[in-house]
């Protein structure tokens, strides 16, 4: 198939999932065309089946707010025609599914179906804001296929938006060959001395991630055992977290690494992953850690209970309860056997349920259904 994928190309989880999906689809013989304003960050591979089309937004003094959604719709339309796309798959409803709706309407010569994947804040925060709710609901209803990345998000969407059409659950996934426990090769020695525990946090440092809680948790752990904390990612709350770490006298033990590409090489060094978010519709970072054999300590919110079996593969704790999170993290980090048993259980869970080889066929089956419902037989790929 020839598939156009649109996502936010930055470090948000939806962009990561969309990019990994594109890479996997290309590896399985599909032609994948990313359509966005920048090259997706995890699109590090080059292949004849992977293409990128940049959306350029023309600015003009009249435009206080350049109309990205329109530039995107135009680019989708153009690429669909020039590359004979079979369908569009947009990640994050706003504004991508609206742009896809316009592109579909603009392609007059044939049907150009589009699939929308809902990721989280497009429903729980931005989409449910009254200024966006009607158009988000409209574009979901108008999509030819809709998926949600957890049952939690599926239910919230149906409830909050009153959606009548079917929404399919296709959970997030991880490439379990890339994200796997370290076999000797590990960057741990770059950050921690022998005998020090390594805790890790990975996010876009937005308020919903509660990054100050990460520091609070680490502070409590650090009082009990020698440890280092790796903070991977960047975003608006980084400065405040850095400030708090200094205030607590932890500056030498908390290492802010900023945005990183090969996160698996950092995750697989850690003893515990901390994700104390206010809300996570899935919690991709927790899954990436689990695939690397690292037990996560997370908030019991949103879709996280669908990913982690509490007490077996990691721990789920009410959001904001930093004392309990610290106690759980300490329990794992200070007991080698416990850490290994939980890490193995976490890896097994990822292998059982969330590896890309299990999930990508679900997307392929959905594409085929959408195409046949629209009377569009998938075109044979140009390159065979
Ligand atoms: O976490 C964010 O703020 C980014 C956001 C996104 O859409 O880029 O992440 C959401 O999608 C991820 C990938 O599907 C999920 O793993 C995250 O749980 C979800 N974030 C929230 O629900 C807050």
């Amino acid at each position: 198939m020839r598939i156009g994928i649109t996502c936010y190309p930055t470090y948000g989880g939806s962009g990561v999932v969309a990019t990994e999906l594109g890479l996997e689809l290309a590896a399985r013989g599909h032609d994948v065309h990313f359509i966005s304003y920048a090259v997706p960050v995890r699109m590090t591979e080059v292949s004849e089946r992977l293409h990128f089309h940049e959306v350029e937004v023309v600015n003009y003094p009249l435009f206080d707010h350049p109309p990205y959604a329109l530039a995107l719709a135009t680019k989708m339309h153009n690429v669909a025609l020039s590359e004979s796309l079979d369908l569009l798959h947009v990640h994050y409803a706003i504004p991508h599914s609206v742009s896809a709706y316009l592109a579909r309407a603009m392609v007059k010569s044939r049907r150009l179906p589009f699939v929308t994947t809902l990721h989280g804040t497009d429903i729980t925060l931005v989409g449910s804001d009254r200024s966006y709710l009607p158009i988000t609901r409209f574009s979901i209803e108008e999509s030819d296929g809709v998926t949600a990345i957890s049952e939690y998000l599926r239910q919230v969407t149906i409830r909050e938006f009153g959606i009548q059409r079917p929404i399919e659950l296709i959970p997030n996934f991880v490439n379990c060959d890339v994200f796997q426990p370290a076999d000797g090769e590990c960057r741990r020695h770059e950050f921690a001395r022998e005998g020090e525990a390594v805790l890790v946090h990975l996010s876009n440092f937005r308020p919903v991630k509660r990054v100050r809680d990460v520091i609070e948790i680490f502070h409590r752990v650090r009082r009990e055992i020698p440890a280092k904390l790796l903070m991977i990612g960047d975003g608006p709350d980084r400065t405040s977290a850095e400030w708090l770490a200094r205030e607590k006298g932890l500056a030498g033990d908390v290492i802010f690494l900023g945005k990183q590409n090969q996160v698996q090489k950092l995750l697989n060094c850690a003893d515990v992953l901390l994700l104390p978010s206010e809300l996570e519709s899935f919690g991709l970072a927790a899954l990436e850690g689990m695939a690397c054999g690292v037990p996560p300590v997370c908030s019991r919110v949103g879709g996280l209970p669908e990913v982690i079996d509490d007490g077996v593969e990691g721990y789920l704790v009410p959001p904001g309860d930093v004392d309990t999170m610290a106690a759980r993290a300490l329990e794992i980090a200070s007991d080698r056997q416990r850490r290994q048993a939980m890490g193995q259980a976490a890896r097994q869970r990822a292998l059982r349920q969330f590896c890309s080889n299990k999930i990508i066929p679900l997307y392929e089956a959905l594409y085929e259904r959408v195409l046949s419902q629209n009377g569009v037989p998938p075109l044979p790929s140009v390159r065979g």
Side-chain angles (χ1 to χ4, degrees):
M1 280 177 255
R2 296 186 186 89
I3 304 150
I5 294 184
T6 288
C7 63
Y8 284 107
T10 51
Y11 282 76
S14 59
V16 170
V17 170
T19 313
E20 298 283 358
L21 172 63
L23 298 179
E24 297 276 353
L25 288 168
R28 293 166 75 94
H30 302 283
D31 276 326
V32 176
H33 294 262
F34 286 102
I35 307 170
S36 191
Y37 59 83
V39 179
V41 281
R42 288 210 186 165
M43 193 183 159
T44 47
E45 285 174 34
V46 180
S47 111
E48 58 169 357
R49 296 196 180 281
L50 280 172
H51 315 263
F52 171 68
H53 305 267
E54 185 174 346
V55 179
E56 284 167 88
V57 188
V58 175
N59 212 341
Y60 187 68
L62 265 183
F63 299 157
D64 261 353
H65 308 286
Y68 177 69
L70 301 186
L72 174 61
T74 310
K75 185 62 100 179
M76 285 170 161
H77 162 266
N78 294 350
V79 175
L81 293 184
S82 65
E83 304 294 337
S84 303
L85 295 184
D86 291 308
L87 54 79
L88 297 168
H89 185 174
V90 302
H91 292 258
Y92 208 89
I94 304 169
H96 302 149
S97 54
V98 179
S99 302
Y101 170 82
L102 290 174
R104 186 181 69 189
M106 287 163 74
V107 176
K108 298 269 186 229
S109 51
R110 62 184 171 89
R111 181 80 174 167
L112 174 67
F114 73 94
V115 171
T116 299
T117 289
L118 308 171
H119 280 272
T121 49
D122 47 350
I123 294 300
T124 54
L125 278 177
V126 197
S128 55
D129 187 281
R130 299 295 125 169
S131 57
Y132 287 118
L133 193 147
I135 199 161
T136 308
R137 178 167 45 212
F138 173 77
S139 62
I140 292 171
E141 291 284 9
E142 285 292 329
S143 301
D144 297 282
V146 181
T147 78
I149 47 85
S150 65
E151 181 56 22
Y152 158 80
L153 188 62
R154 203 177 80 84
Q155 292 298 341
V156 172
T157 310
I158 293 168
R159 198 175 59 237
E160 303 289 320
F161 287 72
I163 298 295
Q164 302 292 324
R165 55 148 305 122
I167 299 177
E168 190 173 330
L169 164 62
I170 302 188
N172 282 340
F173 59 89
V174 63
N175 185 324
C176 296
D177 297 329
V178 174
F179 286 78
Q180 56 171 309
D183 59 349
E185 213 192 297
C186 170
R187 296 179 59 189
R188 191 180 180 109
H189 62 275
E190 290 175 34
F191 310 107
R193 285 192 292 269
E194 196 62 38
E196 280 183 324
V198 175
L199 283 71
V200 68
H201 171 75
L202 164 63
S203 80
N204 52 20
F205 289 55
R206 301 207 172 270
V208 73
K209 302 295 176 184
R210 297 183 72 114
V211 279
R212 287 174 64 92
D213 281 9
V214 178
I215 306 296
E216 291 287 355
I217 296 163
F218 179 71
H219 185 220
R220 286 158 175 75
V221 171
R222 183 67 192 83
R223 281 201 300 243
E224 305 299 326
I225 56 170
K228 288 284 193 296
L229 171 64
L230 306 185
M231 297 288 277
I232 309 171
D234 213 330
D237 285 356
R238 174 173 170 172
T239 310
S240 160
E242 284 177 331
W243 186 269
L244 185 62
R246 272 198 298 277
E247 240 178 26
K248 301 252 179 212
L250 295 170
D253 293 324
V254 182
I255 302 152
F256 286 85
L257 292 164
K259 293 176 180 178
Q260 296 283 322
N261 271 330
Q262 301 216 308
V263 290
Q264 71 276 10
K265 294 199 174 151
L266 296 161
L267 291 180
N268 70 8
C269 286
D271 297 302
V272 183
L273 180 140
L274 301 175
L275 194 64
S277 310
E278 189 69 38
L279 183 60
E280 287 293 345
S281 54
F282 185 91
L284 183 65
L287 174 61
E288 291 183 333
M290 289 166 74
C292 290
V294 180
V297 173
C298 303
S299 300
R300 187 182 290 111
V301 287
L304 279 164
E306 296 171 48
V307 183
I308 302 157
D309 192 356
D310 183 29
V312 179
E313 299 148 357
Y315 283 113
L316 296 170
V317 178
D321 185 352
V322 289
D323 287 330
T324 307
M325 288 190 190
R328 296 306 194 202
L330 191 59
E331 180 192 319
I332 300 168
S334 57
D335 180 341
R336 197 184 172 82
Q337 278 187 344
R338 183 95 184 109
R339 187 242 169 279
Q340 273 179 355
M342 271 202 156
Q344 275 168 14
R347 167 81 182 162
Q348 287 308 316
R349 178 70 184 276
L351 286 172
R352 261 197 325 275
Q353 220 178 322
F354 299 113
C355 287
S356 41
N357 58 359
K358 296 221 153 48
I359 305 300
I360 306 304
L362 303 179
Y363 279 115
E364 290 176 315
L366 171 65
Y367 297 159
E368 274 160 25
R369 263 196 324 277
V370 161
L371 289 177
S372 67
Q373 278 159 13
N374 281 276
V376 191
L379 297 166
S381 177
V382 190
R383 295 176 185 85

